[in-house]
Amino acid sequence: MTRYIRHACAFCALLLLALLVNAARVQVVDSAALDGNPANRRDAIARYAQPRGDILVDGRPVTGSKDTGEQLRYERTYRNGPLYAPVTGFASQLYGTTFLENAEDGVLSGTDPMLAPLPLWNDFTRARNPGGKVETTIQGAAQRAAYSALGGKRGAVAAVEPATGKILALVSTPSYDPERLSGTGRSVAKAWTTLNGGRDKPMLNRAIRRTYPPGSTFKVVTAAAALDSGTVTDPDAPTKSPAPYTLPGTNTKLNNEVEGCTDASLRHAFKWSCNTVFAKLGVDTGPGPMADTARKFGFNDSGLRIPSPVSASYFDTSLDKAQLALSAIGQYETRATPLQMAMVAAAVANGGSLKTPYLVERTTTDDGDVVAAAGPRTVRQAISPGTAARLREMMREVVEKGTGANAAVPGATVGGKTGTAQHGIDNAGTPYAWFVSWAQAPKDPEPSVAVAVVVENASADRGDISGGGSAAPVAKAVMEAVLKSPRRDGL
């Protein structure tokens, strides 16, 4: 009898061991697969069981969370959602996350291991920390000024602090309210369909996700290449440029919108945006130096993150002379995001040094302990300090004496470059109006802000559309807001 009891006890112990081994297999070996199974709602329920952390502008939250009492309990809310949508993106229970809501999801949702009190603590406890906070570099005043100045037109604004790379404004219009995508009801699905089917594409982040032909604003890059390569040594010397200019190897003649461009100096051509001078200058400089200078400013970089991915701006590196001539004036296949052109202006303003643009100042726990902090980081010396100084001088003259007068800020030193970019089949589309600029307050040793503005549908007759008329006033509003902001002094 005793022998049978011993056998039964051993068999029960074996069964218990098998149960423990299987439980360990399920919880350790198969946990990742089970967590990722679409039928497993536990992660979603846990994710929305607590408020999401906030995204901050000027130290104040522009996001929030609402308790619905439903199974997916907390829904995302937004304060002034259309204004900050290009920064925050959306956090939707049906459609996922975008922009900062996506790039910083670990911190905001509380799943980032850096939020845990001890290393690997959450792996053992399966606990979820309270959502952390994401402090942005955005200046609310600059963001509001850009949004208001665009006035609902299709377009975008990017503003950068030249010395650090901080993004001070990131606006895309028309915009949308991300809160319309929070929740799980029919209204959310309807809003998704409406927003994605809208002709004006309100969910498209034009500041970082759309590339445009930069038009004459690209002449900043062409002038930099010509000066740095030694093609031009004296900005005031005649350039031996005919007007009109026949594109090499073709019978196509390139004309100007202004008079006085024949054999004009680089300074005069820059001030009045002479196409013929810059087209020939691009050919004279050559494809190598042109492509290298564009690369140094950030073109053809598919890895830029702010931390959201930025669409790569493009400069063709295999061009014949006619194509190079058109590329040198920001046409042909040349494409740029507004953020890229703000980086060009910022590098010129910063003595030729290009800083990595960034949107997140720091991330913290829910009670304010710093998880990670950003800081200035130099990408490269895009152009020599001497070339940068000459370009700053020429950009000042554009605003003080040339086509960019509408960007002048009383009491400040402002440099800029206008641009009007043709596009569409046979250039039939409404031209894009561009303006890139930087501004320096009287008491500041260096410029405090660099701005790029593009307006897709300027409200003017086609022949009257210009960067100086349509985009420069927007840049002026943003520069004024930054120069007046107390945050510029570190407050």
Side-chain angles (χ1 to χ4, degrees), residues 67-92:
D67 189 349
T68 66
E70 303 291 338
Q71 187 180 57
L72 303 182
R73 183 172 175 181
Y74 285 94
E75 293 179 4
R76 194 56 148 168
T77 62
Y78 295 87
R79 297 174 176 87
N80 212 338
L83 174 63
Y84 292 109
V87 176
T88 63
F90 62 76
S92 171

Side-chain angles (χ1 to χ4, degrees), residues 328-406:
I329 59 173
Q331 297 288 170
Y332 187 58
E333 298 293 337
T334 306
R335 308 282 294 187
T337 62
L339 179 60
Q340 172 61 69
M341 295 313 297
M343 291 167 61
V344 170
V348 172
N350 194 43
S353 177
L354 179 65
K355 302 294 182 179
T356 301
Y358 63 98
L359 188 56
V360 175
E361 189 79 73
R362 63 182 62 86
T363 55
T364 70
T365 62
D366 67 316
D367 54 6
D369 293 334
V370 175
V371 174
R377 186 165 63 89
T378 300
V379 181
R380 66 182 67 86
Q381 188 72 27
I383 53 176
S384 70
T387 292
R390 284 177 165 178
L391 286 173
R392 281 171 62 170
E393 182 181 349
M394 291 191 292
M395 291 179 77
R396 286 200 308 268
E397 293 184 4
V398 169
V399 175
E400 294 170 1
K401 305 175 184 178
T403 57
N406 286 334

Side-chain angles (χ1 to χ4, degrees), residues 80-412:
N80 212 338
L83 174 63
Y84 292 109
V87 176
T88 63
F90 62 76
S92 171
Q93 291 158 319
L94 290 180
Y95 302 110
T97 56
T98 57
F99 301 121
L100 280 188
E101 293 278 29
N102 176 265
E104 298 293 350
D105 182 67
V107 171
L108 295 169
S109 65
T111 59
D112 191 319
M114 295 298 292
L115 297 174
L118 295 171
L120 303 179
W121 176 261
N122 290 353
D123 292 338
F124 288 107
T125 64
R126 307 289 286 180
R128 184 181 292 261
N129 300 299
K133 299 175 182 178
V134 175
E135 299 182 18
T136 71
T137 59
I138 295 292
Q139 287 190 9
Q143 187 82 359
R144 291 189 295 271
Y147 188 81
S148 176
L150 279 172
K153 300 183 184 72
R154 291 196 306 271
V157 176
V160 177
E161 187 174 72
T164 63
K166 292 180 181 179
I167 298 175
L168 306 179
L170 201 68
V171 170
S172 176
T173 57
S175 190
Y176 72 103
D177 188 352
E179 195 166 330
R180 295 177 63 188
L181 301 177
S182 299
T184 57
R186 291 182 179 178
S187 61
V188 175
K190 183 178 179 181
W192 176 260
T193 301
T194 301
L195 290 170
N196 279 285
R199 185 178 65 87
D200 287 338
K201 299 182 179 179
M203 295 178 68
L204 173 62
N205 191 333
R206 291 169 163 85
I208 64 171
R209 291 288 177 84
R210 182 165 190 180
T211 59
Y212 302 84
S216 291
T217 60
F218 192 78
K219 292 172 183 174
V220 176
V221 179
T222 302
L227 289 167
D228 255 7
S229 66
T231 303
V232 174
T233 56
D234 181 1
D236 295 303
T239 55
K240 298 181 181 179
S241 304
Y245 173 62
T246 302
L247 298 180
T250 76
N251 294 319
T252 303
K253 294 185 181 298
L254 186 66
N255 293 293
N256 299 295
E257 298 294 329
V258 295
E259 300 293 333
C261 291
T262 302
D263 297 333
S265 67
L266 177 61
R267 186 185 305 279
H268 180 92
F270 194 91
K271 186 193 307 180
W272 296 108
S273 207
C274 294
N275 288 331
T276 53
V277 173
F278 277 91
K280 183 175 183 297
L281 195 58
V283 174
D284 291 345
T285 301
M290 284 291 297
D292 188 53
T293 302
R295 179 192 62 80
K296 288 179 179 178
F297 274 117
F299 283 79
N300 299 333
D301 179 5
S302 60
L304 181 61
R305 303 288 187 273
I306 63 169
S308 302
V310 178
S311 295
S313 297
Y314 179 70
F315 184 84
D316 198 337
T317 57
S318 56
L319 300 165
D320 62 30
K321 290 185 177 181
Q323 294 165 345
L324 180 59
L326 293 175
S327 297
I329 59 173
Q331 297 288 170
Y332 187 58
E333 298 293 337
T334 306
R335 308 282 294 187
T337 62
L339 179 60
Q340 172 61 69
M341 295 313 297
M343 291 167 61
V344 170
V348 172
N350 194 43
S353 177
L354 179 65
K355 302 294 182 179
T356 301
Y358 63 98
L359 188 56
V360 175
E361 189 79 73
R362 63 182 62 86
T363 55
T364 70
T365 62
D366 67 316
D367 54 6
D369 293 334
V370 175
V371 174
R377 186 165 63 89
T378 300
V379 181
R380 66 182 67 86
Q381 188 72 27
I383 53 176
S384 70
T387 292
R390 284 177 165 178
L391 286 173
R392 281 171 62 170
E393 182 181 349
M394 291 191 292
M395 291 179 77
R396 286 200 308 268
E397 293 184 4
V398 169
V399 175
E400 294 170 1
K401 305 175 184 178
T403 57
N406 286 334
V409 176

